Structure formats: structure tokens, C-alpha cells
Amino acid sequence: MKPKTSRRSRGVILTLEGWDKLQAAKSEAEFEDNTGGERFSLEELSDRMSLSLHTVSRILGRSEPVDKGSLQKAFAAFGLELSKSYYTQPTPPCDDLETRQASPMYDWGEAPDTSIFYNRYEEISQLRHWVLEERCRLITLLGIGGIGKSTLAVKLGLQIQDEFEVVVWRSLQNALPVEDKLTDILQFLLWALRKEMVIPQNFEGKLSKLIECLVNHRCLLILDNFETILSRKSQVGQCRLGYEGYGQLIKLIGEVPHNSCVFLTSREKPRAILPLEGERTKVKCLQLGGLNSHDGRELFEQKGHFTGTEQEWKVLIKHYGGNPLALKIVAAGAKELFNGKISSVLDYLEQGAFIFEEIGDLLEYQFQRLSVVEKEVIYWLAINREPVSLDELAADLVTFSSKHQLLHAIKSLLQRSLVNKNGEHFFLQPVVLEYTTQRLVDRICQELVEKKRISLRLFKNHALIKTTSKDHIRETQKQHIIQPLLEKLLVELGSQKTHIIFLRNYLS
Ligand SMILES: Nc1ncnc2c1ncn2[C@@H]1O[C@H](COP(=O)(O)OP(=O)(O)OP(=O)(O)O)[C@@H](O)[C@H]1O
Ligand SMILES: [Mg+2]
């Protein structure tokens, strides 16, 4: 096993007890404050504690040490005293590339580079807790493409690898059959654990060999891009034809008591996990959200110098849901097209332009996998443009069969990370909203150009501008759906103006 470093960090971190105490006081203050229970942003915490953003992040993250005085300030900000059981000295992290490559017991394969990494303190703290304290067997990181699942999995893995005898990272991107993937993993595990290199021929034999390793040793196995082996056509989270073995694999990993931890990253929640996960079980899922505006801005500034006011940054990063991949792509575009001027990017976005094709590719991949009803629901979410309840959505859907499948479709969309939920209301994250709207416009335009009837299944009882909508929503519907549609039609139909007049009347 890899020798442990003797480096000892100065400073202290919160114990779990201390972290819980601070979190409880913070939640109480969030509730009492007039923020309506909304979580304090890092900036708000920094003001309240009179500490720098960086220090607040370190305190909440519990993996990097801070001086005791800072912890006292953080506690005092919520009327608490820092008692001795609330802090401790940290185990030194081990996440530099050198160490990561130096040990033969750690096979990080093609894992992505995490040298530029912002925030995720709360997520890391939660995951560390699940892995190290609760000793969870199976943990799935879920989230939309580009949100940072793989990056977070590597970052965490590197921080905790010293706790394991062996670490194996494998991507399922190229969708190897499960037998081949198991052989590949076993080859490394058996070698690293100095066991006889005998790999059974059949799937069941390989599966039990892997479980044997997981039971008798403490291994960390990370399987990235699990969505690759999930079906595009059948129900969300189901394994593709011929890949059902992966479902069996994770079922067994979640069910059988063992000493190891298996991490999955996936855009969709694998079905096999549903019956296993729970607050009191050793199978957990973490849905990953975006970065906050402070970290989003730092990510942007990796690309160079940008100019914008605090408010402009906030609007821009919110617009992209803090998705790090989207932000990186947008940063590149903003630099090239707008000389780094954030206000110019925002002006462009206000016109409803969808400029960054790469983000479209990402979403197109997700879209291709949706069922007819899921598409119908997501289009309606785009037409509504603001959070709506299930009842409101049901009223939008035209056919009985769609209404009947609404619950299932919305559950699927949540699992696919395309739809977000706030209380009882469902909505699309801005990038998804933008993309869905564009697809909707393209679709109606195509149907009209092909002289079909307007997709009446979708729009029988409702014009694209809903009469029930509030004024400001009707305005945005006009701006984002009707106007682009008319412009597109003008280009497509050219002289056949009658269609457009018909449409204009129909829509207004
Ligand atoms: N916390 C972070 N700080 C800085 N950059 C980040 C962070 N998280 C992700 N990134 C960057 O964002 C990009 C997308 O991240 P990543 O590949 O981890 O996303 P993903 O959720 O795994 O996407 P996919 O579903 O496509 O696999 C990468 O370039 C990564 O470096
Ligand atoms: Mg990934």
C-alpha cells in the first residue's frame, strides 16, 4: 500500500459535530432572516462572519485548514461559541499529480485534470462524510452534462485515496461490454492486491471475483459516464440492450455488504439504484448544481480579462445555471466576439440569440433520448417560461394519454437533470429553456413549411401565447417564441406570405 505522507498541516478544520452545529445555526438564521429560507450565498456568509470568501469556503469544506480565530468568528456570527469538540487537525490531503501518478496502487486511467477547481466545498464535505464516516457502498453523482460530475469525482477521489488500498478509475464512455470492463478492472485489482491473476471466463464468475475483492479489501472504484450504457429509447435509467449486466453489477454492489466504495457519475439516474438508495441505506445519490457567481466568474477569468459590473456577472452566471462547461464555452466566445465585455454578451442574450453551438450539442444529446411525452412536457415548460405546478402542466397537455403519463415524464425529466424543481413547481434551467425554445421554434417552422397542420397535438387548445399567462410572460413568449418563429418562416417561405398572415392571426 502507498506509504502515507508525514506532512502535517497547520491550522484546524471543523469536526463533523462542529460542522453540524454550524449548519444548524446557519439554517435557523436562513429561516429567520427575510430571505424566505433561501440559503445564504458565500458572499452573505463572508459579510456576516467578517471573513474572506476564501476562508469561509475553507471552513465549510472541512478539508483545508484555517486558523482557530477564523472558526471562532464563524461561530460567533451565529451566536455560538467554539468548543473543543468542534474542531480538529486535518489529515493532510494528497491530491497532487505527482503523488497520484507515483503510486502503483492508484490507477487513475484517463481521469480528467482537476488542477483548476473551484468551490464544491459543501458537496465534498457531504461526499467525504458518506464515504469515510458512513462507509457507503455505492454513491452516484448526478447532473446535467458539463456540470462537473467527473471533475468532482476525481477531486474527491484524490483527496481520500489514502484511505483505500486500491483506487481504480474507469470511464464507460466507449460502452465496453460489461464482461470486458470487468476483466479490465479485475486485471488491475488482482495485480494491485497481489492476488493470483485468475480471471473467470463467464460474467457471473467475474462479478463474484470483483465482489470478493470489494469484500476483502478497501477499494475505491469510480465508473464515469454511466449514462453511456443507459438506453436512449426505453424508460429512463434502464440499461441498453446487451448492457443489462451493468445493472446487475450495480445492484450487487449496492446490496452486498462490503468494505469498498463504488462511485458512479451519470447524467441520468440508473434504474437499478432506485430501490437501493435511501437516507438510512449505504447507497446514496448526489444531484450536482452549478457554481455560484463568485466561482463562475473565477472560472471565466481563467480565459483572460473581462469587464462587467457585479450585477452583470450575476445575471450571466445565473443564465447558464453556473454550469462550468457552459461558462467555459461562453467565456471563450465572449472573449473572441465581445472583447470580454460582459454587458455586450448580455445584450446579445437578451435578443434571445443562442450563440454557443457547443452547448447545443450537449443538450441535443440529452434531447434525442426523450420520449414523446417527455418532449411534450419540456416544450410546455418552455412555453410557460416560469415555474409551473403539476396541475398547470396537466392542463397544458392535450391528450388523455399524455396527461396520464405526466407524472412519469416529469420524474424522468428530473432524473435526466433537464428539469428543476422548486417546492411544488417545475422549471427549466436557463440554458435548457433557451435550447428547448429554439427546438420548439424549429419544429413548428418545419411542420408549417412542410404544409402540415401545426402540431395540433401540442397546440390544439392553446396558442403559443397562452391567454392565461401574465402580461410579462406573454411579452417574453412573443419575444422568444413568436418573433423568432415568424422570422424563420419569412426566410423559409419567402413569397408565400399567406402562410405567415395566417400564422400571425392564429397566434395572436
Ligand atoms: N468545480 C469546478 N471548477 C472548475 N472547473 C470545473 C469545475 N467543475 C467542472 N469544471 C470544468 O467544467 C468542464 C465540465 O466538467 P465535467 O467534465 O466534470 O462535467 P460532467 O458533469 O462530468 O460532464 P459530462 O456529463 O459531459 O460527463 C470541465 O472542463 C471541467 O474542467
Ligand atoms: Mg463527465
Side-chain angles (χ1 to χ4, degrees), residues 83-96:
S83 79
K84 246 188 150 176
S85 59
Y86 293 164
Y87 60 92
T88 180
Q89 283 220 308
T91 329
C94 171
D95 65 349
D96 54 295

mmCIF file with all atom_site columns, all heavy atoms in Angstrom, residues 83-96:
data_model
loop_
_atom_site.group_PDB
_atom_site.id
_atom_site.type_symbol
_atom_site.label_atom_id
_atom_site.label_alt_id
_atom_site.label_comp_id
_atom_site.label_asym_id
_atom_site.label_entity_id
_atom_site.label_seq_id
_atom_site.pdbx_PDB_ins_code
_atom_site.Cartn_x
_atom_site.Cartn_y
_atom_site.Cartn_z
_atom_site.occupancy
_atom_site.B_iso_or_equiv
_atom_site.pdbx_formal_charge
_atom_site.auth_seq_id
_atom_site.auth_comp_id
_atom_site.auth_asym_id
_atom_site.auth_atom_id
_atom_site.pdbx_PDB_model_num
ATOM 1   N N   . SER A 1 83 ? -16.523 25.264 20.858 1.00 0.00 ? 83 SER A N   1
ATOM 2   C CA  . SER A 1 83 ? -15.988 24.379 21.906 1.00 0.00 ? 83 SER A CA  1
ATOM 3   C C   . SER A 1 83 ? -14.972 23.418 21.288 1.00 0.00 ? 83 SER A C   1
ATOM 4   O O   . SER A 1 83 ? -14.892 23.268 20.066 1.00 0.00 ? 83 SER A O   1
ATOM 5   C CB  . SER A 1 83 ? -17.130 23.637 22.598 1.00 0.00 ? 83 SER A CB  1
ATOM 6   O OG  . SER A 1 83 ? -17.534 22.578 21.790 1.00 0.00 ? 83 SER A OG  1
ATOM 7   N N   . LYS A 1 84 ? -14.230 22.716 22.142 1.00 0.00 ? 84 LYS A N   1
ATOM 8   C CA  . LYS A 1 84 ? -13.085 21.919 21.695 1.00 0.00 ? 84 LYS A CA  1
ATOM 9   C C   . LYS A 1 84 ? -13.487 20.777 20.762 1.00 0.00 ? 84 LYS A C   1
ATOM 10  O O   . LYS A 1 84 ? -12.732 20.392 19.872 1.00 0.00 ? 84 LYS A O   1
ATOM 11  C CB  . LYS A 1 84 ? -12.354 21.345 22.908 1.00 0.00 ? 84 LYS A CB  1
ATOM 12  C CG  . LYS A 1 84 ? -10.963 21.937 23.039 1.00 0.00 ? 84 LYS A CG  1
ATOM 13  C CD  . LYS A 1 84 ? -10.171 21.272 24.085 1.00 0.00 ? 84 LYS A CD  1
ATOM 14  C CE  . LYS A 1 84 ? -8.712  21.379 23.647 1.00 0.00 ? 84 LYS A CE  1
ATOM 15  N NZ  . LYS A 1 84 ? -7.807  20.862 24.580 1.00 0.00 ? 84 LYS A NZ  1
ATOM 16  N N   . SER A 1 85 ? -14.691 20.247 21.006 1.00 0.00 ? 85 SER A N   1
ATOM 17  C CA  . SER A 1 85 ? -15.091 19.091 20.188 1.00 0.00 ? 85 SER A CA  1
ATOM 18  C C   . SER A 1 85 ? -15.512 19.515 18.777 1.00 0.00 ? 85 SER A C   1
ATOM 19  O O   . SER A 1 85 ? -15.840 18.691 17.948 1.00 0.00 ? 85 SER A O   1
ATOM 20  C CB  . SER A 1 85 ? -16.250 18.361 20.862 1.00 0.00 ? 85 SER A CB  1
ATOM 21  O OG  . SER A 1 85 ? -17.327 19.264 21.007 1.00 0.00 ? 85 SER A OG  1
ATOM 22  N N   . TYR A 1 86 ? -15.525 20.829 18.513 1.00 0.00 ? 86 TYR A N   1
ATOM 23  C CA  . TYR A 1 86 ? -15.977 21.300 17.205 1.00 0.00 ? 86 TYR A CA  1
ATOM 24  C C   . TYR A 1 86 ? -14.856 21.395 16.171 1.00 0.00 ? 86 TYR A C   1
ATOM 25  O O   . TYR A 1 86 ? -15.101 21.676 15.010 1.00 0.00 ? 86 TYR A O   1
ATOM 26  C CB  . TYR A 1 86 ? -16.634 22.677 17.314 1.00 0.00 ? 86 TYR A CB  1
ATOM 27  C CG  . TYR A 1 86 ? -17.937 22.674 18.088 1.00 0.00 ? 86 TYR A CG  1
ATOM 28  C CD1 . TYR A 1 86 ? -18.481 23.865 18.566 1.00 0.00 ? 86 TYR A CD1 1
ATOM 29  C CD2 . TYR A 1 86 ? -18.630 21.498 18.320 1.00 0.00 ? 86 TYR A CD2 1
ATOM 30  C CE1 . TYR A 1 86 ? -19.669 23.874 19.272 1.00 0.00 ? 86 TYR A CE1 1
ATOM 31  C CE2 . TYR A 1 86 ? -19.824 21.494 19.037 1.00 0.00 ? 86 TYR A CE2 1
ATOM 32  C CZ  . TYR A 1 86 ? -20.329 22.681 19.506 1.00 0.00 ? 86 TYR A CZ  1
ATOM 33  O OH  . TYR A 1 86 ? -21.505 22.689 20.193 1.00 0.00 ? 86 TYR A OH  1
ATOM 34  N N   . TYR A 1 87 ? -13.603 21.240 16.610 1.00 0.00 ? 87 TYR A N   1
ATOM 35  C CA  . TYR A 1 87 ? -12.537 21.340 15.611 1.00 0.00 ? 87 TYR A CA  1
ATOM 36  C C   . TYR A 1 87 ? -11.430 20.316 15.871 1.00 0.00 ? 87 TYR A C   1
ATOM 37  O O   . TYR A 1 87 ? -11.316 19.756 16.970 1.00 0.00 ? 87 TYR A O   1
ATOM 38  C CB  . TYR A 1 87 ? -11.946 22.766 15.581 1.00 0.00 ? 87 TYR A CB  1
ATOM 39  C CG  . TYR A 1 87 ? -11.334 23.219 16.881 1.00 0.00 ? 87 TYR A CG  1
ATOM 40  C CD1 . TYR A 1 87 ? -9.981  23.015 17.138 1.00 0.00 ? 87 TYR A CD1 1
ATOM 41  C CD2 . TYR A 1 87 ? -12.120 23.841 17.846 1.00 0.00 ? 87 TYR A CD2 1
ATOM 42  C CE1 . TYR A 1 87 ? -9.427  23.422 18.341 1.00 0.00 ? 87 TYR A CE1 1
ATOM 43  C CE2 . TYR A 1 87 ? -11.576 24.252 19.056 1.00 0.00 ? 87 TYR A CE2 1
ATOM 44  C CZ  . TYR A 1 87 ? -10.230 24.037 19.301 1.00 0.00 ? 87 TYR A CZ  1
ATOM 45  O OH  . TYR A 1 87 ? -9.688  24.415 20.487 1.00 0.00 ? 87 TYR A OH  1
ATOM 46  N N   . THR A 1 88 ? -10.659 20.068 14.853 1.00 0.00 ? 88 THR A N   1
ATOM 47  C CA  . THR A 1 88 ? -9.585  19.090 14.960 1.00 0.00 ? 88 THR A CA  1
ATOM 48  C C   . THR A 1 88 ? -8.504  19.432 13.940 1.00 0.00 ? 88 THR A C   1
ATOM 49  O O   . THR A 1 88 ? -8.705  20.313 13.097 1.00 0.00 ? 88 THR A O   1
ATOM 50  C CB  . THR A 1 88 ? -10.132 17.666 14.706 1.00 0.00 ? 88 THR A CB  1
ATOM 51  O OG1 . THR A 1 88 ? -9.060  16.741 14.829 1.00 0.00 ? 88 THR A OG1 1
ATOM 52  C CG2 . THR A 1 88 ? -10.691 17.522 13.303 1.00 0.00 ? 88 THR A CG2 1
ATOM 53  N N   . GLN A 1 89 ? -7.397  18.680 13.981 1.00 0.00 ? 89 GLN A N   1
ATOM 54  C CA  . GLN A 1 89 ? -6.365  18.885 12.946 1.00 0.00 ? 89 GLN A CA  1
ATOM 55  C C   . GLN A 1 89 ? -6.684  17.992 11.751 1.00 0.00 ? 89 GLN A C   1
ATOM 56  O O   . GLN A 1 89 ? -7.065  16.831 11.938 1.00 0.00 ? 89 GLN A O   1
ATOM 57  C CB  . GLN A 1 89 ? -5.011  18.511 13.509 1.00 0.00 ? 89 GLN A CB  1
ATOM 58  C CG  . GLN A 1 89 ? -4.471  19.585 14.432 1.00 0.00 ? 89 GLN A CG  1
ATOM 59  C CD  . GLN A 1 89 ? -2.994  19.794 14.237 1.00 0.00 ? 89 GLN A CD  1
ATOM 60  O OE1 . GLN A 1 89 ? -2.239  18.845 14.280 1.00 0.00 ? 89 GLN A OE1 1
ATOM 61  N NE2 . GLN A 1 89 ? -2.593  21.026 14.021 1.00 0.00 ? 89 GLN A NE2 1
ATOM 62  N N   . PRO A 1 90 ? -6.526  18.496 10.554 1.00 0.00 ? 90 PRO A N   1
ATOM 63  C CA  . PRO A 1 90 ? -6.910  17.686 9.389  1.00 0.00 ? 90 PRO A CA  1
ATOM 64  C C   . PRO A 1 90 ? -5.870  16.630 9.026  1.00 0.00 ? 90 PRO A C   1
ATOM 65  O O   . PRO A 1 90 ? -4.694  16.792 9.337  1.00 0.00 ? 90 PRO A O   1
ATOM 66  C CB  . PRO A 1 90 ? -6.996  18.720 8.272  1.00 0.00 ? 90 PRO A CB  1
ATOM 67  C CG  . PRO A 1 90 ? -6.026  19.777 8.670  1.00 0.00 ? 90 PRO A CG  1
ATOM 68  C CD  . PRO A 1 90 ? -6.000  19.814 10.163 1.00 0.00 ? 90 PRO A CD  1
ATOM 69  N N   . THR A 1 91 ? -6.341  15.556 8.346  1.00 0.00 ? 91 THR A N   1
ATOM 70  C CA  . THR A 1 91 ? -5.404  14.619 7.742  1.00 0.00 ? 91 THR A CA  1
ATOM 71  C C   . THR A 1 91 ? -4.926  15.307 6.473  1.00 0.00 ? 91 THR A C   1
ATOM 72  O O   . THR A 1 91 ? -5.756  15.802 5.707  1.00 0.00 ? 91 THR A O   1
ATOM 73  C CB  . THR A 1 91 ? -6.147  13.340 7.270  1.00 0.00 ? 91 THR A CB  1
ATOM 74  O OG1 . THR A 1 91 ? -7.231  13.140 8.129  1.00 0.00 ? 91 THR A OG1 1
ATOM 75  C CG2 . THR A 1 91 ? -5.236  12.161 7.170  1.00 0.00 ? 91 THR A CG2 1
ATOM 76  N N   . PRO A 1 92 ? -3.627  15.360 6.242  1.00 0.00 ? 92 PRO A N   1
ATOM 77  C CA  . PRO A 1 92 ? -3.183  16.101 5.054  1.00 0.00 ? 92 PRO A CA  1
ATOM 78  C C   . PRO A 1 92 ? -3.737  15.499 3.767  1.00 0.00 ? 92 PRO A C   1
ATOM 79  O O   . PRO A 1 92 ? -3.679  14.281 3.595  1.00 0.00 ? 92 PRO A O   1
ATOM 80  C CB  . PRO A 1 92 ? -1.655  15.980 5.092  1.00 0.00 ? 92 PRO A CB  1
ATOM 81  C CG  . PRO A 1 92 ? -1.347  14.965 6.110  1.00 0.00 ? 92 PRO A CG  1
ATOM 82  C CD  . PRO A 1 92 ? -2.532  14.736 6.964  1.00 0.00 ? 92 PRO A CD  1
ATOM 83  N N   . PRO A 1 93 ? -4.295  16.325 2.897  1.00 0.00 ? 93 PRO A N   1
ATOM 84  C CA  . PRO A 1 93 ? -4.798  15.803 1.639  1.00 0.00 ? 93 PRO A CA  1
ATOM 85  C C   . PRO A 1 93 ? -3.657  15.390 0.723  1.00 0.00 ? 93 PRO A C   1
ATOM 86  O O   . PRO A 1 93 ? -2.536  15.842 0.890  1.00 0.00 ? 93 PRO A O   1
ATOM 87  C CB  . PRO A 1 93 ? -5.562  16.984 1.038  1.00 0.00 ? 93 PRO A CB  1
ATOM 88  C CG  . PRO A 1 93 ? -4.949  18.174 1.652  1.00 0.00 ? 93 PRO A CG  1
ATOM 89  C CD  . PRO A 1 93 ? -4.438  17.768 2.986  1.00 0.00 ? 93 PRO A CD  1
ATOM 90  N N   . CYS A 1 94 ? -3.985  14.535 -0.212 1.00 0.00 ? 94 CYS A N   1
ATOM 91  C CA  . CYS A 1 94 ? -2.946  14.030 -1.081 1.00 0.00 ? 94 CYS A CA  1
ATOM 92  C C   . CYS A 1 94 ? -3.477  14.071 -2.497 1.00 0.00 ? 94 CYS A C   1
ATOM 93  O O   . CYS A 1 94 ? -3.981  13.090 -3.002 1.00 0.00 ? 94 CYS A O   1
ATOM 94  C CB  . CYS A 1 94 ? -2.653  12.615 -0.641 1.00 0.00 ? 94 CYS A CB  1
ATOM 95  S SG  . CYS A 1 94 ? -1.595  11.729 -1.715 1.00 0.00 ? 94 CYS A SG  1
ATOM 96  N N   . ASP A 1 95 ? -3.483  15.265 -3.096 1.00 0.00 ? 95 ASP A N   1
ATOM 97  C CA  . ASP A 1 95 ? -4.136  15.324 -4.394 1.00 0.00 ? 95 ASP A CA  1
ATOM 98  C C   . ASP A 1 95 ? -3.269  15.960 -5.459 1.00 0.00 ? 95 ASP A C   1
ATOM 99  O O   . ASP A 1 95 ? -3.751  16.501 -6.429 1.00 0.00 ? 95 ASP A O   1
ATOM 100 C CB  . ASP A 1 95 ? -5.489  16.052 -4.282 1.00 0.00 ? 95 ASP A CB  1
ATOM 101 C CG  . ASP A 1 95 ? -5.342  17.489 -3.895 1.00 0.00 ? 95 ASP A CG  1
ATOM 102 O OD1 . ASP A 1 95 ? -4.229  17.875 -3.514 1.00 0.00 ? 95 ASP A OD1 1
ATOM 103 O OD2 . ASP A 1 95 ? -6.332  18.209 -3.994 1.00 0.00 ? 95 ASP A OD2 1
ATOM 104 N N   . ASP A 1 96 ? -1.952  15.910 -5.276 1.00 0.00 ? 96 ASP A N   1
ATOM 105 C CA  . ASP A 1 96 ? -1.125  16.455 -6.344 1.00 0.00 ? 96 ASP A CA  1
ATOM 106 C C   . ASP A 1 96 ? -0.845  15.368 -7.373 1.00 0.00 ? 96 ASP A C   1
ATOM 107 O O   . ASP A 1 96 ? -0.853  14.173 -7.077 1.00 0.00 ? 96 ASP A O   1
ATOM 108 C CB  . ASP A 1 96 ? 0.176   17.038 -5.785 1.00 0.00 ? 96 ASP A CB  1
ATOM 109 C CG  . ASP A 1 96 ? 0.909   16.042 -4.942 1.00 0.00 ? 96 ASP A CG  1
ATOM 110 O OD1 . ASP A 1 96 ? 0.364   15.668 -3.874 1.00 0.00 ? 96 ASP A OD1 1
ATOM 111 O OD2 . ASP A 1 96 ? 1.960   15.598 -5.354 1.00 0.00 ? 96 ASP A OD2 1
#
